[in-house]
């Protein structure tokens, strides 16, 4: 697999503006996809620590990759065709659930090992393989091919992609601010604090998800990579 790497700019802030302006029609379906995170955070605060730890682990390993794949495919279809079907996106993610779970597990494992090895390798790998799940659902490929696809998209422009990934900071700052306020006000009421933080994070998830899919598609365009739906 080899792609040409032309010098067209990625224009992350243009992508961010476009994401904010285009997310409204699909905002509610994307909220639905992101909503299980609220239930997990509530469970962490009301269930015994052993039970909540097992539940959180199972969610992170077996459910979150499928939800992420659903969101990615839903947005990808919407941007490519102007319409998207939530049930179709769910079915698509479920049909590739094994590859999504495997790819995400290997990705997280590799990044954790990279961070243990003086942090910088973890940052490098998190960017190089950051579009693994995007490749799996959009290109209908295996986890291994997804790693290769993401690597080729980033190849020769790691710093530009890294900078582009940080362009969501303007969206994250209000989330962090509100979460900090909630933490200060409800420091002795962790359940309320977790609910507020989760709701704010979920509300920010649709434009962030839209941005990263648009970034993935821009990388495809500027690398002359074949696109499929």
């Amino acid at each position: 697999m080899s792609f040409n790497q032309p010098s067209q700019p990625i224009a992350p802030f243009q992508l961010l503006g476009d994401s904010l302006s285009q997310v409204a029609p699909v905002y509610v379906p994307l909220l639905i996809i992101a909503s299980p995170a609220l239930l997990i955070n509530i469970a962490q605060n009301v269930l015994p620590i052993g039970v909540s730890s097992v539940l959180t682990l199972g969610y992170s390993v077996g459910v979150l990759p499928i939800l992420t794949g659903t969101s990615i495919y839903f947005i990808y279809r919407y941007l490519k065709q102007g319409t998207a079907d939530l049930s179709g996106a769910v079915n698509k993610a479920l049909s590739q659930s094994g590859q999504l779970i495997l790819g995400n597990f290997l990705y997280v494992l590799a990044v954790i090992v990279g961070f243990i090895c003086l942090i910088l390798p973890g940052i490098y790998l998190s960017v190089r393989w950051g579009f693994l799940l995007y490749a799996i659902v959009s290109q209908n490929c295996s986890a291994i091919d997804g790693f290769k696809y993401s690597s080729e998209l980033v190849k020769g422009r790691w710093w530009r992609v890294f900078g582009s990934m940080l362009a969501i900071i303007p969206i994250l700052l209000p989330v962090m601010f509100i979460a900090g306020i909630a933490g200060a006000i409800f420091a002795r009421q962790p359940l309320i604090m977790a609910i507020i933080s989760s709701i704010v994070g979920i509300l920010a998830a649709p434009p962030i998800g839209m941005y990263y899919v648009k970034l993935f598609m821009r990388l495809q365009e500027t690398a002359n990579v074949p696109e499929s739906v």
Side-chain angles (χ1 to χ4, degrees):
M1 186 184 301
S2 179
F3 310 142
N4 296 323
Q5 299 291 344
S7 59
Q8 293 99 319
I10 298 174
F13 291 107
Q14 177 186 343
L15 291 179
L16 184 61
D18 291 344
S19 300
L20 293 172
S21 65
Q22 294 175 355
V23 74
V26 293
Y27 192 87
V28 172
L30 292 176
L31 280 183
I32 294 172
I33 297 170
S35 62
L38 174 60
L39 301 178
I40 292 298
N41 283 339
I42 292 174
Q44 289 175 338
N45 286 274
V46 299
L47 296 176
I49 187 169
V51 176
S52 64
S53 297
V54 172
L55 182 62
T56 301
L57 179 61
Y59 172 79
S60 300
V61 173
V63 178
L64 185 57
I66 298 174
L67 292 176
T68 303
T70 300
S71 177
I72 292 169
Y73 188 72
F74 182 85
I75 297 170
Y76 191 82
R77 289 274 297 196
Y78 172 72
L79 293 175
K80 293 286 289 181
Q81 299 185 350
T83 183
D85 174 47
L86 181 56
S87 63
V90 172
N91 290 334
K92 172 66 174 178
L94 288 175
S95 71
Q96 294 186 279
S97 59
Q99 296 304 315
L100 289 169
I101 293 171
L102 174 62
N104 187 70
F105 176 79
L106 294 176
Y107 170 80
V108 171
L109 181 63
V111 170
I112 289 175
V113 172
F115 273 101
I116 293 174
C117 298
L118 303 178
I119 299 177
L120 292 179
I123 297 175
Y124 172 78
L125 293 177
S126 68
V127 175
R128 178 175 177 177
W129 292 334
F131 299 99
L132 161 69
L133 300 185
Y134 298 75
I136 291 175
V137 295
S138 70
Q139 306 303 305
N140 197 35
C141 66
S142 68
I144 300 303
D145 285 338
F147 279 107
K148 296 177 182 177
Y149 195 94
S150 181
S151 294
E152 289 289 349
L153 284 181
V154 177
K155 184 179 179 180
R157 48 185 177 172
W158 188 94
W159 283 107
R160 279 187 285 172
V161 175
F162 175 64
S164 298
M165 286 182 167
L166 297 180
I168 62 164
I169 288 178
I171 298 177
L172 292 178
L173 286 178
V175 175
M176 296 170 62
F177 177 77
I178 295 174
I181 294 296
I185 296 175
F186 300 104
R188 297 186 178 182
Q189 297 174 292
L191 177 58
I192 296 177
M193 182 176 66
I195 291 174
I196 294 175
S197 299
S198 296
I199 290 175
V200 174
I202 290 170
L203 291 175
I208 292 174
M210 175 74 74
Y211 172 75
Y212 278 119
V213 174
K214 289 182 74 69
L215 176 58
F216 171 72
M217 295 174 70
R218 178 61 61 86
L219 293 175
Q220 288 181 312
E221 294 167 0
T222 56
N224 294 328
V225 182
E227 299 177 13
S228 62
V229 178

